[in-house]
Amino acid sequence: MPEQVLAKLVKKEKIIDGIYKFSLKAESIVSSARPGNFIEIRISDQTDPFLRRPISIHNLDKENGILEIIFQIKGKGTEILSRKQEGDNIDIIGPLGYGTFKLADYKKIAIIGGGIGIFPLYEILKQANINNIQTGVYLSFRNKDLVMLEDKFGQLTKNLNISTDDGSYKNKGFAIDFLKQDMEKEQYECIYACGPTPMLRAVKNYAVENNINCQISLEEKMACGLGVCLGCAVKKAESPKETPEYFHVCKAGPVFNAEDVEF
Ligand SMILES: Cc1cc2nc3c(=O)[nH]c(=O)nc-3n(C[C@H](O)[C@H](O)[C@H](O)COP(=O)(O)OP(=O)(O)OC[C@H]3O[C@@H](n4cnc5c(N)ncnc54)[C@H](O)[C@@H]3O)c2cc1C
Ligand code: FES
């Protein structure tokens, strides 16, 4: 069950310009959280910004009751959040989202992420490692200056493929291209993806066409974050055109089987 807690910001780090990692002490949330869950953060004690902001859980340190988030400054909310200091208490609700990444009994999986979409993929990579599941990890960024967490992901996989759209660092091209190249040799049983919508569409189409299991995390715009406002609706695949049916990403997701959603 999600809980509202005041979590102490025990460590604040700058990852690259405009992107921060917060380590938050929140034992009760950490103990029940799963890979793919997110939290909703109250930004200010004032009424503006009124709505909480959704941020994925990046890493769970179960031993110390600490959860890590990494966020990019996008607008007012995340800008205010970035000014919090170590020692501050931050009002959060979590863990949120019933749809989480699941490992099943796979022996070999691929993890693919783009830009800030790589953050929620770390915890599932960690779990795969703990369960001796072989992994291939494909991360792409727009350019060299935006490459993040290479060492951290690299420590948990023998097959890390980093690419940039403009070729300014490592391989030139999109992560999906390198995943496709490896597929015949690696025979991944499931693909786990998070990133910009065009990337997720390409991953979904490839997985569906080739009959590969695929779990994707959707980062739809959210308002309430609790399944009551319809702000985060995504269409159910194959629901009738005349009477379309929807999932609430904040409740049913954020992780879905790719074939179940149209986006
Ligand atoms: C499940 C989920 C997980 C996310 N995880 C991360 C993460 O790990 N790291 C990260 O940097 N960002 C993440 N995001 C995106 C992040 O929530 C937005 O960048 C943030 O809400 C923008 O708020 P703002 O006030 O700075 O920007 P503004 O644009 O001023 O926000 C205005 C309103 O739009 C909503 N909004 C704007 N952009 C988004 C967006 N992309 N997704 C959802 N709501 C949005 C805000 O909640 C707010 O209600 C996630 C989004 C979702 C839905
Ligand atoms: S954000 Fe309100 S229903 Fe999902």
Side-chain angles (χ1 to χ4, degrees), residues 233-254:
V234 64
K235 198 163 167 255
K236 289 186 187 178
E238 289 168 24
S239 72
K241 251 196 190 136
E242 309 72 41
T243 51
E245 293 166 27
Y246 295 91
F247 289 115
H248 293 154
V249 173
C250 65
K251 247 193 147 172

Side-chain angles (χ1 to χ4, degrees), residues 44-249:
S44 145
D45 294 339
Q46 315 299 313
T47 47
D48 180 36
F50 177 66
L51 296 168
R52 289 172 180 266
R53 301 303 194 246
I55 299 290
S56 303
I57 295 175
H58 164 65
N59 185 29
L60 291 163
D61 172 355
K62 298 244 176 196
E63 220 170 282
N64 296 300
I66 286 173
L67 67 83
E68 292 175 359
I69 55 168
I70 304 183
F71 65 92
Q72 180 177 43
I73 299 177
K74 267 279 169 69
K76 192 171 180 183
T78 43
E79 197 280 320
I80 295 172
L81 188 63
S82 74
R83 285 192 254 133
K84 304 272 184 200
Q85 297 299 328
E86 288 178 4
D88 286 353
N89 284 321
I90 301 181
D91 178 341
I92 63 175
I93 298 177
L96 291 167
Y98 290 106
T100 53
F101 289 121
K102 295 183 182 69
L103 285 171
D105 53 0
Y106 301 127
K107 303 276 182 294
K108 206 179 213 189
I109 62 167
I111 290 175
I112 177 167
I116 62 168
I118 70 169
F119 306 143
L121 296 168
Y122 182 71
E123 188 57 37
I124 190 67
L125 174 62
K126 224 172 80 184
Q127 293 307 318
N129 228 37
I130 290 168
N131 289 285
N132 291 319
I133 296 169
Q134 287 185 58
T135 54
V137 178
Y138 302 80
L139 306 179
S140 56
F141 304 89
R142 284 211 308 278
N143 61 51
K144 183 174 185 255
D145 297 337
L146 300 175
V147 175
M148 293 171 279
L149 310 180
E150 182 178 1
D151 290 349
K152 204 171 171 192
F153 277 86
Q155 280 161 14
L156 295 184
T157 182
K158 288 188 181 132
N159 182 9
L160 176 66
N161 185 302
I162 300 280
S163 54
T164 48
D165 300 357
D166 64 359
S168 52
Y169 186 70
K170 297 274 171 91
N171 299 310
K172 182 176 193 299
F174 298 132
I176 178 79
D177 301 329
F178 300 100
L179 170 63
K180 284 180 185 171
Q181 277 174 23
D182 278 0
M183 201 63 187
E184 201 176 331
K185 179 165 61 106
E186 304 292 350
Q187 295 290 313
Y188 298 119
E189 292 159 278
C190 187
I191 302 171
Y192 298 76
C194 187
T197 305
M199 188 198 102
L200 290 183
R201 271 199 202 111
V203 173
K204 174 190 163 164
N205 291 342
Y206 174 68
V208 170
E209 279 160 23
N210 293 280
N211 211 13
I212 304 164
N213 299 305
C214 179
Q215 300 175 23
I216 52 170
S217 180
L218 296 178
E219 295 193 345
E220 281 301 307
K221 289 218 171 191
M222 286 185 185
C224 74
L226 300 166
V228 289
C229 77
L230 274 180
C232 63
V234 64
K235 198 163 167 255
K236 289 186 187 178
E238 289 168 24
S239 72
K241 251 196 190 136
E242 309 72 41
T243 51
E245 293 166 27
Y246 295 91
F247 289 115
H248 293 154
V249 173

